[in-house]
Amino acid sequence: KVWDAVDTGCCLNTYCCHSCAVRAARWSSCGRRILSGGFDSMLHLTDVETGKQIFSSKNEFRISALKFHPTESNILICGGFSPEVKAWDIRTSKVLRVYKAAVQQTLDILFLPEGREFLTSTDAVSRDSADRTIIAWDFQSAAKISNQIFHERYTCPSLTLHPKESVFVAQTNGNYMALFSAQRPYRINKKKRYEGHKVEGFAVGCEFSPDGTLLLTGSSDGKVFFYNYHTARIIRTLSAHKEACVSAIFHPVLPSLLATCDWTGEIKIWQ
């Protein structure tokens, strides 16, 4: 569904191209297309105006994470219920590269600046260390750069990159967000930990404000937490939903607008 979020709040259009649950949807950089993937293992790139599929392809696994390459708009990466992550070229409808790891599921994908490297968070947690919880990949060669980035025994359902500094944040199922360097060897910042919200097994998303001063996250108790990025202190909380708030995101152009959604499918726009 595409909504008029600013003025009327009405649903403008509904696109019925999937036969099972849609797990991930992304706007193209031009804003005229939507990339979607889900549990029917299909990838679709839909023209927003006409509703026609520009690109459709059958994947070999159920999709749970999608990302466009930050500088090459015709390339996308998808991951899901598989040990593989795939890079696709929309122009040829073919797989460019396959990234393999000994995991069962990819939870999230994050490109680092310039797109030469990217991170995947996975469900792989061993008893004594978090081997392969976050994996860094070389995009061109498909080689693993590092799989020893996060050593706590928690999975990380969401990753987000700071808009101005070379750092990224991982949401963890330990009910806190961890801060890492976005440059090799991707060291964790042990002095900063953003805690106070609850994750409790939900795929709770996190995001920086456009100016990078705030870190935003949902919470399994339905609240939204605003953290000061520099001090890691909670600035304020918003009682947004009755059910688990799984995503909270700033408007890319109007930073005073905020969208939140909960586990039951309710979406709210906040001023």
Side-chain angles (χ1 to χ4, degrees), residues 116-178:
R116 288 194 289 265
E117 298 166 7
F118 70 95
L119 306 168
T120 57
S121 65
T122 76
D123 63 351
V125 177
S126 57
R127 290 177 68 182
D128 46 3
S129 71
D131 180 29
R132 305 182 303 277
T133 302
I134 298 175
I135 303 173
W137 301 87
D138 183 277
F139 176 73
Q140 289 292 345
S141 68
K144 251 187 235 141
I145 299 168
S146 176
N147 64 350
Q148 298 287 332
I149 297 170
F150 183 52
H151 294 285
E152 305 243 352
R153 286 176 291 175
Y154 301 114
T155 53
C156 301
S158 173
L159 306 171
T160 188
L161 189 68
H162 194 281
K164 295 180 179 178
E165 296 183 22
S166 188
V167 296
F168 72 92
V169 159
Q171 180 81 269
T172 79
N173 270 304
N175 294 331
Y176 69 90
M177 291 179 285

Side-chain angles (χ1 to χ4, degrees), residues 172-175 197-204 219-221 244:
T172 79
N173 270 304
N175 294 331
H197 62 289
K198 296 177 181 178
V199 182
E200 297 178 336
F202 289 94
V204 175
S219 182
S220 63
D221 58 7

Side-chain angles (χ1 to χ4, degrees), residues 198-226:
K198 296 177 181 178
V199 182
E200 297 178 336
F202 289 94
V204 175
C206 57
E207 196 200 42
F208 284 101
S209 61
D211 64 0
T213 59
L214 298 176
L215 180 58
L216 182 71
T217 179
S219 182
S220 63
D221 58 7
K223 294 178 181 176
V224 177
F225 284 74
F226 297 81

